[in-house]
PDB file of all heavy atoms in Angstrom:
ATOM      1  N   ASP H  40     117.106 157.402  93.295  1.00 54.00           N
ATOM      2  CA  ASP H  40     116.596 158.474  94.124  1.00 54.00           C
ATOM      3  C   ASP H  40     115.254 159.048  93.709  1.00 54.00           C
ATOM      4  O   ASP H  40     114.745 159.946  94.365  1.00 54.00           O
ATOM      5  CB  ASP H  40     117.638 159.585  94.268  1.00 54.00           C
ATOM      6  CG  ASP H  40     118.268 160.002  92.956  1.00 54.00           C
ATOM      7  OD1 ASP H  40     117.840 159.529  91.896  1.00 54.00           O
ATOM      8  OD2 ASP H  40     119.204 160.809  92.991  1.00 54.00           O
ATOM      9  N   ILE H  41     114.664 158.550  92.617  1.00 52.00           N
ATOM     10  CA  ILE H  41     113.274 158.906  92.321  1.00 52.00           C
ATOM     11  C   ILE H  41     112.531 157.640  91.957  1.00 52.00           C
ATOM     12  O   ILE H  41     113.106 156.690  91.427  1.00 52.00           O
ATOM     13  CB  ILE H  41     113.131 159.975  91.209  1.00 52.00           C
ATOM     14  CG1 ILE H  41     113.642 159.472  89.857  1.00 52.00           C
ATOM     15  CG2 ILE H  41     113.788 161.280  91.597  1.00 52.00           C
ATOM     16  CD1 ILE H  41     113.298 160.396  88.703  1.00 52.00           C
ATOM     17  N   VAL H  45     112.352 156.795  84.690  1.00 71.00           N
ATOM     18  CA  VAL H  45     113.450 157.576  84.142  1.00 71.00           C
ATOM     19  C   VAL H  45     114.609 157.694  85.144  1.00 71.00           C
ATOM     20  O   VAL H  45     115.646 158.247  84.820  1.00 71.00           O
ATOM     21  CB  VAL H  45     112.950 158.972  83.680  1.00 71.00           C
ATOM     22  CG1 VAL H  45     112.783 159.919  84.849  1.00 71.00           C
ATOM     23  CG2 VAL H  45     113.870 159.574  82.633  1.00 71.00           C
ATOM     24  N   ARG H 157     120.465 165.667  83.194  1.00 92.00           N
ATOM     25  CA  ARG H 157     119.211 165.905  83.906  1.00 92.00           C
ATOM     26  C   ARG H 157     118.120 165.100  83.209  1.00 92.00           C
ATOM     27  O   ARG H 157     117.945 165.219  82.004  1.00 92.00           O
ATOM     28  CB  ARG H 157     118.842 167.386  83.875  1.00 92.00           C
ATOM     29  CG  ARG H 157     117.522 167.715  84.560  1.00 92.00           C
ATOM     30  CD  ARG H 157     117.091 169.145  84.235  1.00 92.00           C
ATOM     31  NE  ARG H 157     115.937 169.564  84.979  1.00 92.00           N
ATOM     32  CZ  ARG H 157     114.682 169.336  84.604  1.00 92.00           C
ATOM     33  NH1 ARG H 157     114.425 168.674  83.499  1.00 92.00           N
ATOM     34  NH2 ARG H 157     113.672 169.757  85.354  1.00 92.00           N
ATOM     35  N   VAL H 158     117.388 164.303  83.965  1.00 89.00           N
ATOM     36  CA  VAL H 158     116.263 163.550  83.424  1.00 89.00           C
ATOM     37  C   VAL H 158     115.022 163.863  84.249  1.00 89.00           C
ATOM     38  O   VAL H 158     115.114 164.282  85.403  1.00 89.00           O
ATOM     39  CB  VAL H 158     116.533 162.026  83.392  1.00 89.00           C
ATOM     40  CG1 VAL H 158     117.684 161.707  82.458  1.00 89.00           C
ATOM     41  CG2 VAL H 158     116.796 161.480  84.785  1.00 89.00           C
ATOM     42  N   ALA H 159     113.838 163.650  83.655  1.00 86.00           N
ATOM     43  CA  ALA H 159     112.586 163.926  84.356  1.00 86.00           C
ATOM     44  C   ALA H 159     111.478 163.071  83.758  1.00 86.00           C
ATOM     45  O   ALA H 159     111.604 162.543  82.650  1.00 86.00           O
ATOM     46  CB  ALA H 159     112.229 165.411  84.242  1.00 86.00           C
ATOM     47  N   GLY H 160     110.394 162.954  84.498  1.00 81.00           N
ATOM     48  CA  GLY H 160     109.230 162.213  84.036  1.00 81.00           C
ATOM     49  C   GLY H 160     107.973 162.793  84.647  1.00 81.00           C
ATOM     50  O   GLY H 160     108.027 163.753  85.419  1.00 81.00           O
ATOM     51  N   SER H 167     104.736 166.697  87.172  1.00 54.00           N
ATOM     52  CA  SER H 167     106.130 166.265  87.185  1.00 54.00           C
ATOM     53  C   SER H 167     106.830 166.690  88.472  1.00 54.00           C
ATOM     54  O   SER H 167     108.042 166.620  88.566  1.00 54.00           O
ATOM     55  CB  SER H 167     106.876 166.834  85.978  1.00 54.00           C
ATOM     56  OG  SER H 167     106.867 168.236  86.022  1.00 54.00           O
ATOM     57  N   ASP H 168     106.056 167.137  89.451  1.00 58.00           N
ATOM     58  CA  ASP H 168     106.640 167.591  90.712  1.00 58.00           C
ATOM     59  C   ASP H 168     107.504 166.513  91.343  1.00 58.00           C
ATOM     60  O   ASP H 168     107.055 165.405  91.595  1.00 58.00           O
ATOM     61  CB  ASP H 168     105.544 168.009  91.693  1.00 58.00           C
ATOM     62  CG  ASP H 168     104.749 169.202  91.191  1.00 58.00           C
ATOM     63  OD1 ASP H 168     105.305 169.984  90.401  1.00 58.00           O
ATOM     64  OD2 ASP H 168     103.580 169.329  91.584  1.00 58.00           O
ATOM     65  N   GLY H 169     108.768 166.838  91.612  1.00 56.00           N
ATOM     66  CA  GLY H 169     109.656 165.921  92.306  1.00 56.00           C
ATOM     67  C   GLY H 169     110.206 164.800  91.462  1.00 56.00           C
ATOM     68  O   GLY H 169     110.886 163.925  91.975  1.00 56.00           O
ATOM     69  N   LEU H 170     109.947 164.794  90.183  1.00 78.00           N
ATOM     70  CA  LEU H 170     110.432 163.717  89.326  1.00 78.00           C
ATOM     71  C   LEU H 170     111.562 164.193  88.432  1.00 78.00           C
ATOM     72  O   LEU H 170     111.578 163.968  87.233  1.00 78.00           O
ATOM     73  CB  LEU H 170     109.285 163.130  88.493  1.00 78.00           C
ATOM     74  CG  LEU H 170     108.206 162.426  89.302  1.00 78.00           C
ATOM     75  CD1 LEU H 170     107.116 161.895  88.380  1.00 78.00           C
ATOM     76  CD2 LEU H 170     108.792 161.286  90.109  1.00 78.00           C
ATOM     77  N   VAL H 171     112.514 164.867  89.027  1.00 81.00           N
ATOM     78  CA  VAL H 171     113.701 165.338  88.324  1.00 81.00           C
ATOM     79  C   VAL H 171     114.907 164.672  88.967  1.00 81.00           C
ATOM     80  O   VAL H 171     115.004 164.587  90.183  1.00 81.00           O
ATOM     81  CB  VAL H 171     113.832 166.873  88.416  1.00 81.00           C
ATOM     82  CG1 VAL H 171     115.143 167.346  87.816  1.00 81.00           C
ATOM     83  CG2 VAL H 171     112.652 167.535  87.736  1.00 81.00           C
ATOM     84  N   ASP H 172     115.813 164.171  88.144  1.00 79.00           N
ATOM     85  CA  ASP H 172     117.004 163.496  88.644  1.00 79.00           C
ATOM     86  C   ASP H 172     118.217 164.003  87.882  1.00 79.00           C
ATOM     87  O   ASP H 172     118.270 163.904  86.662  1.00 79.00           O
ATOM     88  CB  ASP H 172     116.847 161.977  88.453  1.00 79.00           C
ATOM     89  CG  ASP H 172     117.915 161.173  89.172  1.00 79.00           C
ATOM     90  OD1 ASP H 172     118.672 161.739  89.973  1.00 79.00           O
ATOM     91  OD2 ASP H 172     117.977 159.951  88.926  1.00 79.00           O
ATOM     92  N   TRP H 173     119.169 164.557  88.600  1.00 88.00           N
ATOM     93  CA  TRP H 173     120.448 164.986  88.041  1.00 88.00           C
ATOM     94  C   TRP H 173     121.496 163.928  88.341  1.00 88.00           C
ATOM     95  O   TRP H 173     121.424 163.265  89.380  1.00 88.00           O
ATOM     96  CB  TRP H 173     120.905 166.294  88.669  1.00 88.00           C
ATOM     97  CG  TRP H 173     120.204 167.515  88.169  1.00 88.00           C
ATOM     98  CD1 TRP H 173     119.065 168.059  88.665  1.00 88.00           C
ATOM     99  CD2 TRP H 173     120.621 168.357  87.093  1.00 88.00           C
ATOM    100  NE1 TRP H 173     118.744 169.195  87.961  1.00 88.00           N
ATOM    101  CE2 TRP H 173     119.682 169.392  86.998  1.00 88.00           C
ATOM    102  CE3 TRP H 173     121.697 168.330  86.206  1.00 88.00           C
ATOM    103  CZ2 TRP H 173     119.779 170.413  86.049  1.00 88.00           C
ATOM    104  CZ3 TRP H 173     121.797 169.338  85.256  1.00 88.00           C
ATOM    105  CH2 TRP H 173     120.846 170.358  85.174  1.00 88.00           C
TER     106      TRP H 173
END
Side-chain angles (χ1 to χ4, degrees):
D40 47 6
I41 64 170
V45 79
R157 178 192 187 274
V158 296
S167 61
D168 296 334
L170 295 179
V171 174
D172 191 10
W173 283 89

